[in-house]
Amino acid sequence: MRIKDVKYLRFKTYLNAYCPHCNQSFNVDTINEKTLDFKAVYKKKKIDLRLSPYLDVFELEASVPVEKGDILDDLLCPYCSKSIVKKDFSCKECGTKAAEVIISADEKLIPFYLCLKYGCEWHGLSKADEKKIKLKIPRQDMPEQDQTLRIHNHQEVPYGYTSELALLEAGRCIQCKNPKCIDGCPVNIDIPGFISLVVEEKFDEAVKKIKERNILPAICGRVCPQENQCEEACVLGIKEKPVAIGRLERFVADFERKMELVKVPIINKNTGKKIAVVGSGPAGLTVAADMRQLGYSVTIFEALHETGGVLTYGIPEFRLPKSIVQFEINYLKEMGCRIELNHIIGATITVDELLENFNAVFIGVGAGLPTFMNIEGENLGNVFSSNEYLTRMNLMKAYKFPEYDTPMPKGENVTVIGGGNVAMDSARTAIRTGSDKVTIVYRRSRNELPAREEEVHHAEEEGIKFRLLTNPVRYLGTDDNRVKGMECIKMELGEPDNSGRRRPIPIEGSNFILDCDLVVIAVGTGPNPTIFQSTPDIKRNKWGYIEVNPDTNETSKEFVYAGGDIVTGSATVIQAMGAGRIASNAMHEKLSKIKK
Amino acid sequence: MKEFKSINDVLDFAIKGEQEAVDFYNQLAENSKTEDMRHVFTSFAQEEMEHKTRLTKIKAEGLYQFEKKEIVDLKIGDYTVSVKPSPEMSYQDALILAMKKEKAAFRLYYELAKRANNDEMKDVFLSLAQEESKHKLRFEIEYDEYVLREN
Ligand SMILES: Cc1cc2nc3c(=O)[nH]c(=O)nc-3n(C[C@H](O)[C@H](O)[C@H](O)COP(=O)(O)OP(=O)(O)OC[C@H]3O[C@@H](n4cnc5c(N)ncnc54)[C@H](O)[C@@H]3O)c2cc1C
Ligand code: SF4
């Protein structure tokens, strides 16, 4: 190709190019240096522009000096070294037929062309080509802490997207006419809507779009099981990997917080009515925010000395930094919600007493009561429920002993029973406290592990062993009654029963002993009965969970609403928030009809 | 040990067993501290009542045809520690109690089958044992689904 009228071929370094052959995206602005990833072939010599002396860092442009009439042979992808020049295009700028252009993409992922004839740059592609290109962009991973280093600290594992990565990922969304992802989201966030705002770099508007339906995006972006919700439904998932909706949600929420763009909303005119919220987990927080916004005066009663429920004392710091949870709580305080800590409703004040002072009560007390499997040896020393183990570690910051005065339950050889998020969290916490060996014992196979895939993957990376299709049948103790091992039995999965579930069945005679010096049981939890002892007229089911009208989440006791784990049993953060939203809508509707 | 002279004898014995279970659960329901647990035990009693009705019908119609089918044993009842009946029992305790009770009934019929005088009677005992394991499985599945649920 002959260069006619240009003196310099210029490449902007903020370019995020993409190779149509090997699908690699070349991220230009990396490792603090302004690097440009193209390779050019000029006078038959390959120039690697990544190291090019021609790169002018201040101008953010790399220029290869060329003479009029010189020949630039080709432009190559730095990874696969194939040509990224497309020969069958005509330049939109100069109109030259058969102009030679490179297909690439700028930082917004709108395909980018560079005309090699006159050096014209232009954007845009036919819809079909655009879709083809988008489908080829690989799902972007989040950069994360190295696995060998992170097991020695409690800091968050993924760092989150940079804006470049977020733009690349958002560019993958093909903006379906009939977006399945919205149906997959338990609170029906307008997902393509917020993603298209990301593409336009309107990150603050994108987070507002999410907050229309979900008040805690920084938290949900981190802990929601997107792989079973919105991302499972995303159409890209049929052939390729789905759009990383959760990572984008997290990115925009973090952006808003870090840029200090969070503003307290305008609160509606005071209704003169008062709401009591019992429990400060995600369900309670949602009700508090909604009702306060609508002009009610809101008081949250929390049994513990810190707010946030499971977000604070259950999910560990390395998965959900507590500073984020506290930021959201401060936001509620700034909105004018009152928070009363160390108030156990049912013990210090009863629900009936609350009703004397408040127009309505919301119960979001979760399902934090540990249940045991009821097998031999569960009362030995160093056998913990996951609830106690994680609470000690998180809330009482036992991992900072002696700085904090709760001693840390520590074992060299730890076994965790269960296969859910709680089990993964317990195991990953144990490995961070310096245990030599951490094993997860789970009675079904890997396919049935109910934990989030990301958590299982991280646990494996961190060296946690999995004993699948195995169940403990009793614990063995030392003379001074500390656990020293457990007898396990191997399991096989039976035929699917009426519910379609394959039950684990013990294999006769397959018993064996597994040594361990600390056990965490992450199986089963139940409702704490305290609040009900003084209020027997709140109807509950046989498991002790509250029965509600599903349209309003009102309980059998008028003006008392409930939602979250105390209604459903252990579920998810987003389900608890969704339940809170149903209750706040219904409360508002009912209370609006009543004069003071 | 009780002598069984005829199949009817066996069925009477089994019917009596079911009635005892009905009474047992009704008693627990009466003693229960909470409404929910009263409900649970009443429903257990009702299930036992249904078993009794079935046996009574079989006896009346003289139809001793029981199907023989292997029933899955999740063995949850085998490894859980026994619970004592009390007014404060939780649903988990109630399930353990019920599983253990069904298992004991299974063992009894199984033993009786081994000692049965003739093949016909043996078959009846075996099918009664099988019925009890079916009942146990129902409780074990409930336990597996809710108590042993990973979270
Ligand atoms: C270790 C762990 C990991 C998890 N990981 C995930 C995950 O990755 N993704 C996900 O979606 N879900 C996860 N979950 C589940 C999720 O956290 C819960 O479903 C969710 O927190 C339930 O919210 P909630 O508001 O109903 O109750 P909770 O978060 O349990 O909050 C209840 C609050 O009520 C307070 N309270 C209780 N009784 C009283 C009383 N009598 N008076 C006053 N206050 C009271 C409690 O102290 C607590 O603060 C996890 C759970 C655990 C335990
Ligand atoms: S289904 Fe996937 S591709 Fe379609 S709009 Fe939703 S996120 Fe975008």
Side-chain angles (χ1 to χ4, degrees):
Chain A
M1 67 200 74
R2 192 168 292 276
I3 293 171
K4 286 186 181 155
D5 295 335
V6 276
K7 269 229 161 124
Y8 291 100
L9 263 182
R10 310 175 88 124
F11 306 96
K12 292 214 169 90
T13 53
Y14 60 70
L15 225 58
N16 265 321
Y18 145 81
C19 171
H21 307 291
C22 67
N23 295 344
Q24 275 284 4
S25 58
F26 344 131
N27 197 356
V28 181
D29 193 348
T30 52
I31 344 174
N32 297 326
E33 286 169 34
K34 304 292 173 203
T35 54
L36 185 67
D37 277 353
F38 293 123
K39 278 182 187 167
V41 184
Y42 173 55
K43 290 188 176 163
K44 296 246 161 78
K45 252 182 28 214
K46 273 191 195 169
I47 315 170
D48 194 335
L49 288 173
R50 283 176 297 185
L51 312 166
S52 169
Y54 306 123
L55 185 65
D56 177 349
V57 256
F58 298 106
E59 291 294 319
L60 296 184
E61 281 186 353
S63 313
V64 186
V66 283
E67 301 280 320
K68 207 169 165 180
D70 259 2
I71 289 172
L72 181 77
D73 302 312
D74 211 350
L75 282 171
L76 309 179
C77 160
Y79 295 98
C80 67
S81 288
K82 284 202 179 130
S83 171
I84 47 175
V85 174
K86 224 179 163 179
K87 303 205 163 58
D88 51 355
F89 270 77
S90 59
C91 176
K92 273 193 191 164
E93 288 273 296
C94 65
T96 314
K97 285 223 164 65
E100 290 161 332
V101 290
I102 54 166
I103 292 191
S104 120
D106 76 353
E107 88 279 30
K108 287 183 188 164
L109 255 174
I110 298 167
F112 167 83
Y113 296 80
L114 181 79
C115 165
L116 292 186
K117 189 158 184 181
Y118 297 113
C120 327
E121 288 175 11
W122 45 275
H123 297 90
L125 253 194
S126 71
K127 274 266 171 260
D129 267 359
E130 193 176 312
K131 196 166 163 187
K132 225 164 38 194
I133 285 188
K134 285 185 167 207
L135 288 176
K136 277 190 172 177
I137 304 167
R139 178 176 157 113
Q140 301 298 306
D141 284 332
M142 279 190 288
E144 58 187 32
Q145 263 202 75
D146 181 85
Q147 64 209 51
T148 51
L149 298 180
R150 69 181 188 234
I151 58 170
H152 302 295
N153 66 53
H154 290 262
Q155 282 146 28
E156 195 179 8
V157 173
Y159 295 123
Y161 277 157
T162 57
S163 48
E164 286 82 4
L165 288 171
L167 288 166
L168 263 173
E169 186 59 37
R172 297 180 63 227
C173 171
I174 55 172
Q175 296 289 321
C176 305
K177 278 212 184 78
N178 175 16
K180 298 273 182 280
C181 51
I182 301 185
D183 300 335
C185 170
V187 295
N188 306 115
I189 294 175
D190 176 2
I191 292 166
F194 103 76
I195 294 183
S196 75
L197 289 165
V198 175
V199 171
E200 290 171 36
E201 284 185 67
K202 295 178 182 156
F203 303 143
D204 49 339
E205 286 181 34
V207 71
K208 286 205 185 78
K209 175 117 301 238
I210 301 177
K211 282 189 170 174
E212 284 169 11
R213 306 210 59 98
N214 174 347
I215 59 157
L216 303 172
I219 293 170
C220 289
R222 286 174 165 80
V223 304
C224 269
Q226 291 100 4
E227 63 275 20
N228 306 325
Q229 302 177 352
C230 53
E231 293 184 16
E232 185 180 48
C234 169
V235 292
L236 290 200
I238 301 170
K239 279 197 177 154
E240 305 288 331
K241 288 189 180 155
V243 175
I245 301 167
R247 294 172 183 173
L248 289 171
E249 179 182 25
R250 169 193 163 130
F251 167 76
V252 289
D254 287 358
F255 177 87
E256 188 194 35
R257 194 180 62 256
K258 285 184 196 151
M259 295 302 200
E260 299 182 6
L261 300 172
V262 182
K263 289 201 186 70
V264 175
I266 299 165
I267 307 289
N268 286 10
K269 201 171 126 252
N270 192 344
T271 60
K273 293 184 182 123
K274 289 158 72 185
I275 307 294
V277 172
V278 187
S280 63
L285 295 179
T286 305
V287 173
D290 285 358
M291 296 310 278
R292 182 66 201 121
Q293 163 94 66
L294 289 166
Y296 293 83
S297 106
V298 174
T299 309
I300 302 175
F301 294 92
E302 168 55 54
L304 297 173
H305 65 269
E306 266 191 52
T307 39
V310 170
L311 306 176
T312 300
Y313 65 74
I315 305 179
E317 174 78 17
F318 55 83
R319 210 150 66 79
L320 178 63
K322 300 308 145 211
S323 56
I324 294 179
V325 182
Q326 284 319 307
F327 182 90
E328 300 297 348
I329 310 253
N330 281 340
Y331 175 79
L332 284 185
K333 284 188 195 158
E334 282 172 27
M335 282 174 78
C337 295
R338 280 184 56 186
I339 299 181
E340 299 287 350
L341 299 174
N342 303 310
H343 274 65
I344 304 174
I345 303 302
T348 36
I349 313 173
T350 65
V351 175
D352 288 307
E353 282 163 353
L354 285 179
L355 279 175
E356 288 168 16
N357 294 306
F358 294 87
N359 298 76
V361 176
F362 175 81
I363 301 180
V365 292
L369 185 78
T371 55
F372 286 89
M373 293 166 70
N374 227 317
I375 59 175
E376 218 181 296
E378 272 176 337
N379 45 7
L380 287 167
N382 258 9
V383 177
F384 291 94
S385 71
S386 56
N387 191 287
E388 181 181 354
Y389 181 74
L390 288 172
T391 306
R392 277 206 200 200
M393 289 301 196
N394 289 327
L395 197 58
M396 306 190 185
K397 307 223 169 14
Y399 61 87
K400 287 191 178 166
F401 183 76
E403 198 184 316
Y404 285 77
D405 59 3
T406 314
M408 175 168 77
K410 192 167 176 247
E412 300 299 324
N413 186 359
V414 177
T415 305
V416 178
I417 317 295
N421 286 328
V422 184
M424 301 302 142
D425 284 346
S426 305
R428 295 178 65 202
T429 298
I431 203 110
R432 280 164 173 75
T433 62
S435 305
D436 288 340
K437 190 173 162 202
V438 180
T439 310
I440 282 180
V441 169
Y442 175 56
R443 65 210 168 109
R444 291 192 162 93
S445 73
R446 198 183 189 295
N447 285 344
E448 288 81 27
L449 276 172
R452 297 193 55 203
E453 179 52 40
E454 181 178 279
E455 273 231 73
V456 178
H457 168 73
H458 278 148
E460 282 172 336
E461 274 186 350
E462 289 164 12
I464 286 154
K465 305 270 174 300
F466 283 76
R467 283 244 182 202
L468 300 169
L469 288 164
T470 304
N471 213 23
V473 296
R474 66 192 175 104
Y475 300 103
L476 312 166
T478 55
D479 294 340
D480 59 347
N481 276 335
R482 298 177 71 78
V483 70
K484 65 169 185 186
M486 57 201 234
E487 183 181 332
C488 293
I489 192 160
K490 291 242 163 233
M491 312 290 269
E492 60 190 349
L493 292 181
E495 294 301 316
D497 61 19
N498 296 344
S499 70
R501 293 264 277 171
R502 298 180 63 192
R503 304 282 157 198
I505 304 169
I507 302 173
E508 196 91 43
S510 65
N511 301 42
F512 67 98
I513 304 289
L514 195 65
D515 291 335
C516 57
D517 56 5
L518 190 138
V519 173
V520 182
I521 301 174
V523 175
T525 59
N528 194 315
T530 317
I531 192 165
F532 306 107
Q533 276 154 3
S534 54
T535 325
D537 50 340
I538 296 178
K539 201 164 175 239
R540 295 189 294 152
N541 67 18
K542 59 189 174 193
W543 294 105
Y545 298 118
I546 300 180
E547 283 185 6
V548 292
N549 170 348
D551 297 327
T552 58
N553 279 358
E554 192 166 18
T555 66
S556 56
K557 197 174 171 76
E558 203 182 7
F559 297 112
V560 177
Y561 296 75
D565 285 3
I566 188 58
V567 171
T568 53
S570 330
T572 60
V573 172
I574 191 71
Q575 277 172 300
M577 289 174 52
R581 176 61 53 94
I582 292 177
S584 52
N585 285 343
M587 259 185 204
H588 178 53
E589 198 184 321
K590 185 158 180 169
L591 293 180
S592 306
K593 290 182 194 146
I594 297 172
K595 293 217 177 86
K596 255 191 248 179
Chain B
M1 193 171 160
K2 190 175 160 51
E3 276 290 320
F4 295 100
K5 299 210 175 67
S6 66
I7 303 285
N8 271 350
D9 260 8
V10 173
L11 288 173
D12 280 338
F13 176 76
I15 290 166
K16 200 166 142 254
E18 298 294 355
Q19 183 57 48
E20 275 165 14
V22 174
D23 298 343
F24 175 75
Y25 287 129
N26 277 335
Q27 188 63 49
L28 286 180
E30 215 168 282
N31 293 348
S32 284
K33 266 208 163 155
T34 65
E35 191 57 40
D36 325 312
M37 287 314 294
R38 199 162 306 138
H39 224 79
V40 165
F41 286 122
T42 320
S43 75
F44 284 6
Q46 242 155 25
E47 281 181 42
E48 300 294 346
M49 198 63 204
E50 278 161 29
H51 304 158
K52 182 186 162 188
T53 316
R54 249 192 84 202
L55 292 175
T56 318
K57 192 163 167 251
I58 288 170
K59 188 184 159 203
E61 291 170 358
L63 292 171
Y64 307 128
Q65 297 290 332
F66 295 96
E67 55 166 343
K68 263 193 212 142
K69 208 175 107 199
E70 178 127 19
I71 305 295
V72 175
D73 186 359
L74 301 186
K75 294 206 169 66
I76 297 173
D78 296 19
Y79 294 116
T80 39
V81 180
S82 302
V83 290
K84 277 212 179 76
S86 82
E88 279 97 20
M89 267 197 286
S90 68
Y91 187 46
Q92 180 181 0
D93 294 339
L95 285 177
I96 295 176
L97 189 87
M99 286 185 305
K100 297 237 179 225
K101 221 171 140 47
E102 302 292 353
K103 182 83 184 189
F106 164 85
R107 284 223 186 89
L108 172 69
Y109 288 128
Y110 194 72
E111 279 307 308
L112 290 173
K114 279 202 277 189
R115 294 171 204 193
N117 303 342
N118 57 54
D119 281 355
E120 198 192 3
M121 207 174 267
K122 184 176 176 160
D123 273 357
V124 177
F125 278 126
L126 280 180
S127 17
L128 286 168
Q130 179 195 294
E131 272 302 302
E132 298 300 334
S133 24
K134 251 197 228 163
H135 304 161
K136 180 171 81 99
L137 181 64
R138 144 170 172 13
F139 292 120
E140 283 188 331
I141 286 182
E142 181 103 342
Y143 198 89
D144 181 72
E145 189 70 35
Y146 295 99
V147 180
L148 299 182
R149 180 154 98 181
E150 301 72 22
N151 40 42

